[in-house]
Amino acid sequence: MMSTALLTGTPLAGRVAVVSGASSGMGAVTAERLAELGATVVVLARRKERLDSLVKNIEAAGGTALAPAVDITDRDAVQTTADQVVERFGKADLVFNNAGVQLISGIEELKVDDWQRQIDLNISGLMNVIAAFLPHLTDSAAQGKPADLINTSSIAATRILAKFSIISSRLGVPAGQNTGQLSGVSKRSASEPEDSSGHVDSPHPASTASSSLAALPIEPGIRCR
């Protein structure tokens, strides 16, 4: 049976964790928790002022954090950030790939700009982060050290929900990171490379408190970030 005991102490001391979508919601609280457990945390998002505030909170609690403001849809910018992480802290060995957007509409509304925005962030952004940091993880795993990749998916990946057809379908994209596509990416990544000792996971949470939650016309129980 899986233990549900709350971790204490600093079991992540010496590890370098990268958290995307860290300016609010699940990303922000996860970054704080990883730092509390001893990890050095690199927080990624576009909203620099929010990241700076998060870093101040982490440092005030005795942790170490870096906040490079970056748009993860910009592949070169993400790679530059990964290089900066190596220069400052060494290679990352824990990546929480959490950035995403959830724009709800009926498919008949033809909000194609919203569709594209979700594709750019939830799919391309996801892959940009993987491309930049996977070499870090595989190197750590090859040395027999911990290596963890966590891709946040959504409950919309597993259920049929009104006005979530674009988010959930293969023709559209995930809300909150992705749905079927993201879950599929995570499952396939978990088996590649075959000789790796790293770990890949893809949680499917429902609603989480974030700066965008109040603006969305959705019912309780539907996850957004």
Side-chain angles (χ1 to χ4, degrees), residues 7-21:
L7 290 175
T8 59
T10 56
L12 300 183
R15 299 193 63 180
V16 178
V18 174
V19 180
S20 69

Side-chain angles (χ1 to χ4, degrees), residues 99-133:
V101 65
Q102 180 169 270
L103 305 174
I104 302 168
S105 65
I107 191 169
E108 74 284 353
E109 296 178 51
L110 298 178
K111 293 188 176 182
V112 293
D113 289 340
D114 285 357
W115 302 354
Q116 189 62 53
R117 182 182 172 195
Q118 291 177 99
I119 291 171
D120 291 344
L121 182 56
N122 301 347
I123 300 298
S124 298
L126 166 85
M127 301 309 296
N128 289 342
V129 172
I130 291 176
F133 289 100

